[in-house]
Amino acid sequence: MSDDDERLGRPDGHRYDAPESDETRVSKEWTYAVLGLLVVVLLVLIATGKVPIFVG
């Protein structure tokens, strides 16, 4: 192992991950926002009875 490999390695065996780019971070933010909005809409539909959960 070279000095560079030892510097980047951690005692638990994982290697250093570079910080993500701004473009990747913004893309993830939009993805999580859309997913959150979808969950909220689904919860509202369930609460109003438009989407039945327990049929019977």
Side-chain angles (χ1 to χ4, degrees):
M1 234 183 191
S2 70
D3 290 335
D4 192 37
D5 288 340
E6 289 178 12
R7 182 177 59 83
L8 296 178
R10 296 190 328 205
D12 60 0
H14 294 282
R15 297 186 64 80
Y16 172 75
D17 291 330
E20 58 189 17
S21 67
D22 286 340
E23 181 179 325
T24 303
R25 183 181 48 78
V26 169
S27 175
K28 284 183 182 179
E29 288 175 357
W30 277 106
T31 303
Y32 286 129
V34 169
L35 183 60
L37 183 62
L38 181 66
V39 169
V40 168
V41 168
L42 184 61
L43 288 174
V44 168
L45 289 174
I46 291 170
T48 59
K50 301 290 184 188
V51 178
I53 297 296
F54 302 108
V55 180

